[in-house]
Amino acid sequence: MLVSPSASHLIVCSRSLSMRIYALKPSPTADSSINIELLRSLKPHSTPVVTLTTDHTGTLLATGGADGQIRVWDIRGGYATHTFRGQGGVISALHFFEVQILESDIAQSKKGAKKRRKSQPEEIEIIVDGDRPKQQSTHGFRLASGVEDGKVYIWDLVQRKRVATLESHVSVVRSLDFSTSENALVSASRDKTVIVWDARSWKTRRVIPVFESVEATGFLQSGSVIYTGGENGRLRLWETADGREITEEQEVRSEGEGIVDMIYHEGLSFILTVQGDQSLVLHALESLSTFSKGQNLPPLPEVSRISGTHDEIIDLVYAGQDHSYMALATNSESVRIISLATTPSNPTTDSTEGTYFGADVGLLRGHQDIVICLDTDWSGQWIATGAKDNTARLWHIKSTGSSFTCHCTFTGHAESLGAISLPKIRPTDIQSDPTAVEPPPYLLTGSQDRTIKKWVIPPLSNPSKSAARALYTRKAHDKDINSIAIHPTQPLFASASQDRTAKIYSTENGEVQGILKGHRRGVWSIEFAPNSIGNIPGIPSARGFVATGSGDKTLKIWSLHDYSCVRTFEGHTSSVLKALWLPSSNSVPRLASSGGDGLVKIWDASEGECLATLDNHTDRVWALAVHPSDTGVLVSGAADAVITFWRDTSSETAAKAAAKEEEFIEQDQALQNYMRASDYRSAITLALQLEQPGRLLKIFQDVLNAPKEEGSLSGVRAVDEVLAHLSDSQLLKLLKRCRDWNTNARAVNVAQRILACLIRMYPSERLTRLRGVREVFKGLESYTERHLRRVEGLLEESWIVEYTLGEMDGLNLGRGEGAGLIMER
């Protein structure tokens, strides 16, 4: 995928061997959107396109395929201008550039070409599309190509031939760039070197050992500085003149933060790096404006970060003083902090500044392995993280949200951490200044080593690692510990484990207070009920409740009074991975659960029924969180890299339902009043509006039974007037009602009478114009034919009865002598 320098075109190449060229135009509206129009679709190569590039004017496009071919295209015309073959490998890098050629260089190149023709055969095949005049020019339009065998080829676009082959790299060439002021070409390879080539002689000017596989390189500051990026995730700067690195030493980043590409255009104040985890990072170049030869610079600062994907969401929590941030554990060593601001903070400034909903505002680096669990304190300014590197860390978010620092590290577990928890109790002696929030007094961690540790957190004024010590360590379970929760008011905490049990402990000494047994599989989640829940109707418990979710697909509620199971919820088709108490709504205690089936379910804790099933994920839902202040928002994060924000609309829905029911009752009463008053005009209109076919049928039956008025089709002139002035929607609705009534022998008379009225009142053109009327008439036709056959059968039977009665009258039975004889016998 490539965007032209002027952002006028977008070129997309796919593995289906197609290349699509789109035109990009700003939207005429004020929403800053872009209109995309497909111009053409082409097949550039017989194999997939590996790399592509455009020239600085945005008119030429070069594509390099896995078949070793290079094709140059006119973007606006959509045709190929050059095809080059003979490079013997996959094309891995391309770059257009322009060099100044002296007349002496032209004459010397001619002599050299004659000698080469005599000494060696032609090695490449050049296919030229179209007839163009071959001429010498003082401007040399060139195309450089890098191949997987480490060679770099220089192609003359005017002469349509190769002018140089550069052989110094021993691995894949990944990036090329040219500096007009230095008259030099720079190439980067996975052989961990960067080479600067002289554009006049095509000799090596300098070899820079980078000591890492380089994926991208280019020139800055008019060619005086070279930038590189590679597998270690470091953006490094080098002096072109002597090859000295001018950036200070940087830490090696994780594999996911390795740089796979870099983008820079002359005049921009930042350089963009593309990382292996599909993140885009903007680095400011302001420090280069004051750079002088021999000076060292700190690493270029990150001014903005854009996450292409969050990978698997393992855990998430609200953070920040006003809970305007969200911390994400995304199957990586770092914790991402994203903004939940609903409006941009600086909508008029450059896109590298300001925040918007979903914007990356921070990255907590420090762990050496994947972060598994997160938790925050009551203020949201302290985040605890646990990772597979056997350590836990406590991070401080300043109230301004401008910095994220590691307060202390907790080391002591023998295996990876699976659970972590901070107390949520607001201190009574809290200062009025929100910026001076001290850390929580302690931290609880659970590990795969089956132990639970309680740590003392050093104060904000003395964040020394030596003070981060464990108060006690308890052997808690027989298998991995998956979850830890601290009671909101009582000195209790709970743990859930793969050994199919959950336990309740004293926070003071870590002694077991109760064991919760009943699950048939490992317990994934445990959560204490908040004080707002109170008692569940029919299940009194003075000490409260705790909820657990298990791999046996069930969710259970336990009483803290006797540690017995009081409710079991079944409905998930896979493991219940997270359980969460929701704030009470209308005094109804509710629970939220998420599972490996990708569903989030809302439960009524008192009735044990599922109130709603929320479906927006395609993989396991690992994380749930409820907004601390806006209690109507529930957030779910899943392995499909999707974060879903759910709004509780139960109150609004109930209010709308109540208002609708009240309105329905009023209209129903009005309909009954119309029917009693024989106001057929108002009754029919209202019955059609209320979708009450039974009442409508009763109205028409009363009309048919009433004395018929002369000249009326239906029997009542007021009804005729109503039927003659129906809208298209009302007409179609009435025809559907006639179709339904026509299926019932008791209502067929009404259906046929109303149908006859409608057919006589409305022209066929209007009836056929109604949407879906064809299916309605088909239904009417089939049952009408059946009724017609039934009526004809009755008519035939009536003739037989009439004939029989006539014959019986001819016998004079019951009168005269014949009757007396019959009586004697």
Side-chain angles (χ1 to χ4, degrees):
M1 181 182 295
L2 183 69
V3 178
S4 62
S6 60
S8 60
H9 293 85
L10 170 67
I11 301 95
V12 179
C13 296
S14 66
R15 292 184 179 179
S16 62
L17 308 184
S18 68
M19 178 175 70
R20 296 184 178 182
I21 302 177
Y22 299 87
L24 306 179
K25 298 180 181 179
S27 175
T29 60
D31 57 357
S32 302
S33 60
I34 297 177
N35 293 332
I36 302 178
E37 178 186 359
L38 177 63
L39 297 181
R40 57 185 56 86
S41 182
L42 307 168
K43 183 179 179 180
H45 295 268
S46 59
T47 58
V49 174
V50 177
T51 183
L52 65 163
T53 187
T54 61
D55 68 334
H56 68 279
T57 64
T59 57
L60 292 180
L61 169 70
T63 58
D67 55 1
Q69 291 189 31
I70 299 174
R71 305 196 78 180
V72 181
W73 305 81
D74 184 297
I75 295 180
R76 292 182 173 85
Y79 58 85
T81 60
H82 301 74
T83 300
F84 301 115
R85 293 177 179 167
Q87 299 178 97
V90 177
I91 309 300
S92 57
L94 292 170
H95 183 71
F96 284 103
F97 62 97
E98 184 178 350
V99 297
Q100 297 290 334
I101 302 178
L102 303 176
E103 293 296 333
S104 59
D105 294 336
I106 297 175
Q108 187 173 0
S109 64
K110 288 182 178 180
K111 295 179 181 179
K114 291 179 180 179
K115 293 181 180 179
R116 286 195 300 271
R117 282 195 294 270
K118 293 179 180 180
S119 61
Q120 57 184 355
E122 184 65 34
E123 297 180 353
I124 64 170
E125 176 187 2
I126 303 177
I127 301 175
V128 181
D129 301 321
D131 295 326
R132 302 288 181 89
K134 297 182 179 180
Q135 58 184 1
Q136 297 289 349
S137 173
T138 55
H139 290 275
F141 295 96
R142 303 284 190 262
L143 173 65
S145 63
V147 192
E148 65 175 355
D149 61 2
K151 294 180 181 179
V152 177
Y153 295 91
I154 308 298
W155 307 89
D156 189 325
L157 297 182
V158 177
Q159 298 297 322
R160 297 179 170 84
K161 66 178 183 180
R162 187 185 66 186
V163 296
T165 301
L166 314 181
E167 302 182 21
S168 285
H169 290 294
V170 295
S171 187
V172 182
V173 177
R174 291 292 298 129
S175 182
L176 298 165
D177 196 17
F178 184 81
S179 172
T180 304
S181 57
E182 292 287 333
N183 200 25
L185 177 76
V186 62
S187 61
S189 170
R190 288 180 178 170
D191 62 5
K192 304 183 180 181
T193 63
V194 170
I195 300 179
V196 181
W197 307 86
D198 188 281
R200 294 186 60 188
S201 62
W202 294 119
K203 301 291 184 182
T204 301
R205 184 183 295 181
R206 186 168 301 281
V207 178
I208 303 175
V210 183
F211 302 110
E212 67 172 314
S213 180
V214 186
E215 298 292 328
T217 190
F219 287 104
L220 296 172
Q221 297 293 101
S222 300
S224 61
V225 176
I226 296 174
Y227 64 83
T228 62
E231 61 181 354
N232 291 337
R234 300 177 294 181
L235 172 55
R236 305 165 70 182
L237 304 180
W238 313 78
E239 280 192 280
T240 305
D242 55 9
R244 183 183 67 88
E245 183 177 4
I246 61 178
T247 47
E248 298 174 355
E249 185 66 23
Q250 305 175 55
E251 294 183 358
V252 176
R253 300 288 179 84
S254 63
E255 182 180 357
E257 294 183 276
I259 296 175
V260 298
D261 198 7
M262 301 176 71
I263 300 174
Y264 172 73
H265 292 293
E266 194 71 30
L268 292 179
S269 60
F270 58 86
I271 184 171
L272 175 69
T273 61
V274 183
Q275 298 184 346
D277 59 0
Q278 302 182 32
S279 296
L280 307 178
V281 182
L282 301 179
H283 299 264
L285 298 175
E286 296 178 359
S287 58
L288 282 175
S289 59
T290 59
F291 171 73
S292 58
K293 187 176 178 60
Q295 180 185 359
N296 287 335
L297 295 176
L300 298 182
E302 297 180 6
V303 294
S304 182
R305 173 181 289 268
I306 303 172
S307 295
T309 178
H310 289 303
D311 200 1
E312 184 172 359
I313 306 296
I314 301 176
D315 203 358
L316 55 83
V317 292
Y318 279 93
Q321 180 184 351
D322 54 355
H323 307 290
S324 59
Y325 298 120
M326 180 162 283
L328 307 177
T330 59
N331 201 28
S332 67
E333 298 87 345
S334 303
V335 177
R336 295 180 181 178
I337 308 295
I338 63 173
S339 172
L340 301 181
T342 55
T343 56
S345 60
N346 294 310
T348 60
T349 61
D350 188 85
S351 60
T352 61
E353 302 177 4
T355 58
Y356 52 90
F357 188 87
D360 289 75
V361 296
L363 196 66
L364 309 184
R365 294 191 180 99
H367 286 289
Q368 304 302 314
D369 209 335
I370 296 175
V371 177
I372 298 296
C373 47
L374 303 172
D375 198 20
T376 56
D377 71 331
W378 66 271
S379 68
Q381 298 184 35
W382 295 93
I383 301 178
T385 59
K388 285 187 175 182
D389 60 3
N390 307 348
T391 67
R393 288 175 177 262
L394 186 66
W395 309 81
H396 183 214
I397 303 178
K398 290 189 176 179
S399 58
T400 58
S402 58
S403 67
F404 310 89
T405 57
C406 180
H407 178 65
C408 57
T409 303
F410 306 90
T411 304
H413 282 289
E415 295 188 39
S416 65
L417 274 69
I420 198 166
S421 184
L422 288 170
K424 306 296 189 298
I425 303 176
R426 181 187 179 99
T428 56
D429 57 346
I430 186 69
Q431 300 180 18
S432 59
D433 183 8
T435 63
V437 175
E438 286 290 332
Y442 64 90
L443 170 71
L444 291 175
T445 58
S447 169
Q448 288 185 1
D449 62 11
R450 308 167 190 176
T451 64
I452 293 177
K453 290 180 180 288
K454 179 180 179 181
W455 306 85
V456 175
I457 300 177
L460 189 61
S461 59
N462 182 29
S464 61
K465 294 184 179 180
S466 60
R469 58 185 179 86
L471 277 178
Y472 57 76
T473 301
R474 295 290 181 266
K475 173 70 166 58
H477 291 275
D478 297 330
K479 291 186 178 181
D480 300 353
I481 298 175
N482 295 324
S483 178
I484 288 182
I486 299 177
H487 199 282
T489 56
Q490 301 179 35
L492 299 174
F493 73 91
S495 66
S497 170
Q498 285 297 110
D499 64 4
R500 297 181 290 183
T501 66
K503 295 183 179 182
I504 310 298
Y505 308 85
S506 168
T507 307
E508 299 298 329
N509 52 28
E511 296 298 328
V512 177
Q513 305 296 306
I515 301 178
L516 313 180
K517 294 182 179 181
H519 284 294
R520 299 185 302 274
R521 294 287 181 88
V523 185
W524 282 103
S525 178
I526 191 165
E527 187 78 14
F528 283 105
N531 294 332
S532 58
I533 296 297
N535 288 332
I536 298 177
I539 313 173
S541 178
R543 300 188 63 188
F545 303 93
V546 64
T548 58
S550 169
D552 61 8
K553 309 175 187 177
T554 64
L555 181 72
K556 290 180 180 289
I557 297 179
W558 309 79
S559 171
L560 293 179
H561 177 69
D562 54 3
Y563 306 108
S564 62
C565 178
V566 296
R567 283 281 188 275
T568 298
F569 305 89
E570 297 181 353
H572 284 282
T573 59
S574 188
S575 301
V576 178
L577 303 175
K578 187 72 174 181
L580 184 69
W581 291 90
L582 298 178
S584 297
S585 175
N586 299 324
S587 301
V588 178
R590 297 177 301 168
L591 277 166
S593 64
S594 64
D597 52 10
L599 301 177
V600 177
K601 290 181 177 289
I602 309 299
W603 306 88
D604 184 334
S606 59
E607 299 294 335
E609 297 179 354
C610 180
L611 300 176
T613 298
L614 314 179
D615 185 5
N616 193 49
H617 295 284
T618 59
D619 209 337
R620 297 179 301 273
V621 182
W622 287 108
L624 289 176
V626 64
H627 196 285
S629 55
D630 187 357
T631 56
V633 176
L634 176 69
V635 186
S636 60
D640 58 3
V642 174
I643 303 172
T644 305
F645 291 79
W646 307 93
R647 169 69 68 177
D648 182 8
T649 60
S650 56
S651 300
E652 294 85 347
T653 304
K656 290 180 180 179
K660 188 175 181 179
E661 184 178 0
E662 182 179 356
E663 181 182 4
F664 177 81
I665 293 174
E666 293 176 354
Q667 292 178 339
D668 184 69
Q669 183 62 47
L671 178 60
Q672 294 182 25
N673 296 336
Y674 293 145
M675 294 175 64
R676 290 192 183 96
S678 299
D679 187 355
Y680 298 120
R681 181 198 304 270
S682 302
I684 293 173
T685 304
L686 188 55
L688 286 172
Q689 178 183 348
L690 294 179
E691 296 282 349
Q692 291 193 0
R695 295 282 179 85
L696 188 61
L697 177 62
K698 180 66 169 56
I699 294 172
F700 285 128
Q701 287 176 338
D702 293 343
V703 170
L704 296 182
N705 295 330
K708 185 175 182 180
E709 299 179 3
E710 185 177 355
S712 172
L713 295 176
S714 64
V716 178
R717 291 192 183 92
V719 175
D720 290 351
E721 186 176 353
V722 174
L723 296 179
H725 296 85
L726 297 175
S727 63
D728 287 351
S729 61
Q730 291 176 332
L731 180 58
L732 180 60
K733 189 179 298 183
L734 186 55
L735 286 172
K736 290 181 178 180
R737 296 286 176 257
C738 291
R739 177 196 60 188
D740 299 338
W741 297 334
N742 197 44
T743 61
N744 191 335
R746 297 180 179 179
V748 64
N749 293 336
V750 175
Q752 292 295 325
R753 175 69 68 84
I754 300 302
L755 181 62
C757 294
L758 296 178
I759 292 177
R760 293 177 183 177
M761 291 178 178
Y762 294 95
S764 59
E765 293 80 6
R766 182 176 178 185
L767 292 176
T768 56
R769 192 173 66 242
L770 299 176
R771 185 176 181 180
V773 75
R774 185 182 299 273
E775 289 75 13
V776 175
F777 278 116
K778 284 183 179 179
L780 284 167
E781 181 183 5
S782 60
Y783 276 92
T784 300
E785 291 177 350
R786 182 182 301 180
H787 293 312
L788 180 61
R789 289 193 298 269
R790 181 174 60 85
V791 172
E792 290 176 346
L794 290 175
L795 182 61
E796 292 177 358
E797 293 176 358
S798 68
W799 290 343
I800 296 174
V801 172
E802 184 177 357
Y803 172 76
T804 303
L805 292 176
E807 291 298 319
M808 291 177 65
D809 290 341
L811 293 175
N812 294 321
L813 296 177
R815 295 193 299 271
E817 298 178 356
L821 293 174
I822 293 174
M823 293 298 293
E824 291 179 359
R825 293 178 182 177

